[in-house]
Amino acid sequence: MSLLDIAKKRFSVRKYADRSVEKEKLDKILEAAHVAPTAANLQPVRLYVVQTRKGLEKVGKAANVYGAPIAIVVCADKSKAWKRPFDGMITTDIDASIVTDHMMLEATEQGLGSVWICYFKPDILKKELELPDNLEPINILAVGYSEEPEAGADRHDTQRLPLDKMVTYL
């Protein structure tokens, strides 16, 4: 499947089957994170793969993971981040987003569903997972087998802005 086909096939899953994800599939998702680019290749992203019942209960105190068997908590290491010298912008959120996107697309390639979760209580998540002070949770990627019907790949034709509203050629 081409990258564009995978991107069109991916949709946000909010209902998961009570089924474990095979280690081989999880390993491929994590490999996709491993090869994701980061600013200045500083790799300031740390992943917490939560898949035990106890761990998912801890994450569940901060966020709804929709019954997914895996929640990957994507954290930024502020102590390792690249900073743009002109205005001081720190790229950790961007780096974490690129890593998450790579994992989300690989999950689709592996026949799994996912949803990118930013609606969570970071203070509770940090406490429950005992994250060190230098790590900030940026998002959570819930992963598992979808219980929802697939979304049509052509939905983007009507659910997205037309390219001429999004792109400016100079």
Side-chain angles (χ1 to χ4, degrees):
M1 194 177 326
S2 76
L3 178 60
L4 190 54
D5 289 338
I6 293 167
K8 286 181 178 182
K9 183 176 179 174
R10 191 220 64 82
F11 66 101
S12 294
V13 174
R14 292 182 177 87
K15 186 176 181 189
Y16 294 89
D18 185 19
R19 177 178 171 192
S20 297
V21 172
E22 297 85 349
K23 181 183 181 324
E24 299 79 27
K25 291 184 177 189
L26 176 58
D27 288 347
K28 287 198 178 226
I29 292 166
L30 297 174
E31 182 65 19
H34 184 246
V35 301
T38 60
N41 197 31
L42 292 176
Q43 304 169 47
V45 178
R46 297 295 169 264
L47 306 175
Y48 285 74
V49 179
V50 182
Q51 53 189 342
T52 65
R53 189 170 59 93
K54 184 177 178 181
L56 290 167
E57 286 173 1
K58 288 181 176 189
V59 173
K61 292 178 183 179
N64 183 356
V65 296
Y66 305 100
I70 296 174
I72 303 173
V73 180
V74 182
C75 298
D77 184 343
K78 297 275 186 185
S79 69
K80 288 188 70 176
W82 183 77
K83 185 189 287 189
R84 187 166 54 200
F86 309 106
D87 62 359
M89 185 195 78
I90 298 173
T91 61
T92 51
D93 289 6
I94 297 166
D95 293 336
S97 296
I98 294 168
V99 167
T100 303
D101 189 59
H102 273 55
M103 291 190 297
M104 192 169 45
L105 293 172
E106 183 60 34
T108 301
E109 173 71 5
Q110 294 300 315
L112 299 167
S114 65
V115 65
W116 182 317
I117 301 165
C118 282
Y119 187 84
F120 64 89
K121 299 172 186 164
D123 55 335
I124 293 173
L125 194 58
K126 283 185 80 153
K127 180 182 175 199
E128 288 296 322
L129 298 183
E130 300 176 11
L131 299 178
D133 289 340
N134 63 309
L135 293 185
E136 175 190 355
I138 303 297
N139 59 58
I140 303 166
L141 186 66
V143 179
Y145 285 95
S146 176
E147 280 281 307
E148 298 181 51
E150 287 189 16
D154 61 347
R155 72 190 183 282
H156 302 96
D157 296 340
T158 58
Q159 294 178 355
R160 296 286 191 267
L161 287 173
L163 274 177
D164 65 346
K165 300 281 188 215
M166 184 178 176
V167 178
T168 302
Y169 294 96
L170 301 174

